[in-house]
Amino acid sequence: MDMSVFDLFKIGIGPSSSHTVGPMVAARRFLLESGMLDEAVGVEAHLYGSLALTGVGHATDKAVILGLMGETPQELDPASVDDKLDLTALDGQIALLGIKTVPFDARVHLVWHKASTLPEHPNGMRFVLQLRDGSIIERIYYSVGGGFITAAGEAQARTLEPVGTPVPYPFDTMVQLLEHGRTHGLTIPHMLRANERVRMSDADLDAGLDRLWRVMRDCICQGLKTEGRLPGGLNVRRRAAALWKQAQETQPQNALPHDAVQQVSLYAMAVNEENAAGGRVVTAPTNGAAGIIPAVLRYYAEDCRPIDPQRGVRDFLLTSAAIGMLCKKNASISGAEVGCQGEVGVACAMAAAGLVAALGGTNEQIENAAEIGIEHHLGMTCDPIGGLVQIPCIERNGMGAIKAITAASLALKGDGVHFVSLDSVIETMRQTGADMQVKYKETSLGGLAIHVVTVNHAAC
């Protein structure tokens, strides 16, 4: 499997990895690959399918403009976004990659194809660069979930010709990973570490993992102290900060047995409120599900009394990545492709597996926890109200974090023997997503999205 832990976990900005991070990366990549920037006199971006239907709510338009300007999700300061976009709108022009200035009006040069899709994925983009001699350069890209992008035909080419440096413990299924473990007497985090060492040193790997945890932790802290309302028009009130303050003020004699678990849900909600506000988050494996792994990680670091928390956090992230890789390769982590089961469901499985690994569970217990996490999200639709990553997404992360801890607990109390394999439940998720109607897959054309809007209109 030609994938790194740092492919799966990316530092970026909200509100969506597939609708914000991916399009930003694609727009920049298009210009870099064009090779004709000096000859450019104009540019257009055409958005299709789910990107067009819920793109405004997911800030896809802003992301594309920022990508054309040369910005990257990992380096962009969220606080600078509005100023950059306002300047482009005021000037009526855009500096492509910060170098070549051409006329630009988002109302004209961003085209939303809401009734059309491109053949390889629901999240399709077509970029057009107009040159001085009247010719054009045109390319198609797909945002396939979690901030991953592919050019047209690229995904198929990779299945025919594997790329990358061979790793010591290659795996495309959990069966293969478990067999490596039995043969070599190694845990899943040990094998993932060995695979990563083909690409980087132990020191670089640990520094990267520590940075991911630092960004996650900072995002929780920021969300737990920030109040107000989220952007986008729904006027959703941020709740994590007020609920956190209330939880801290509760007198010990009045505390309920579940209060510690409730705090985990607040950690997750804090992250996803930050994501909805366009803040700095880590795709885990997507922005829409970015709160679950940080919440369970903080629960591990603070409530599980680990002897070596730093090592445990690293093992947690490596193990989580292994589960995410399997889900991405054999099903999808894109809500537009398989619904929210591929986002919150996969994140829950990743967090459950990571927690078991950090607590010293066996490889079989890790698999069991991951399988439980996905199994109880099968069929979950993606129907965001108003196309915004707010309702029901924020609360779903809180619930997903609690489910992950429950799944880990069940797995650790068993001996690793279980009826349904992780590979089977991932394949079931893929088939369920294929059978799911398009209106339930991040289009806001069905389900909760239209029901609530209809009720609100009727009340007016």
Side-chain angles (χ1 to χ4, degrees), residues 11 125 175 183 322 345 403:
I11 297 172
M125 297 162 276
V175 167
T183 300
K403 283 187 178 182

Side-chain angles (χ1 to χ4, degrees), residues 54 66 77 157 166 215 268 276 358 423:
T54 61
L66 290 165
D77 178 4
V215 173
D423 291 330

Side-chain angles (χ1 to χ4, degrees), residues 19 23 26 29 57 65 109 157 181 189 217 234 253 277 293 298 325 332 357 361 389 392 420 424 433 455:
H19 285 58
R29 176 177 164 181
I65 294 170
H109 299 113
R217 191 174 59 238
L234 290 181
Q253 62 266 30
I293 287 174
R298 180 160 167 172
M325 292 172 188
S332 175
V389 193
V420 180
S424 294
V455 169

Side-chain angles (χ1 to χ4, degrees), residues 1-4 7 148 158 162-165 171-172 199 329:
M1 186 181 298
D2 185 42
M3 199 182 307
S4 166
D7 293 328
F148 289 88
R158 283 182 176 174
V163 296
T165 306
F171 65 98
D172 290 323
R199 305 176 177 92
K329 178 173 179 60

Side-chain angles (χ1 to χ4, degrees), residues 15-94:
S16 171
S17 48
S18 60
H19 285 58
T20 309
V21 175
M24 189 185 303
V25 173
R28 182 174 182 269
R29 176 177 164 181
F30 166 67
L31 294 178
L32 289 171
E33 292 179 344
S34 72
M36 298 292 287
L37 201 60
D38 289 343
E39 300 299 312
V41 295
V43 67
E44 291 179 356
H46 297 254
L47 303 166
Y48 294 82
S50 176
L51 290 182
L53 288 165
T54 61
V56 173
H58 286 71
T60 305
D61 48 347
K62 298 177 182 179
V64 167
I65 294 170
L66 290 165
L68 293 174
M69 295 168 67
E71 300 289 348
T72 62
Q74 64 270 27
E75 299 296 336
L76 178 63
D77 178 4
S80 71
V81 168
D82 288 342
D83 287 343
K84 293 178 184 293
L85 296 173
D86 288 346
L87 185 62
T88 296
L90 182 65
D91 292 345
Q93 57 187 15
I94 188 170

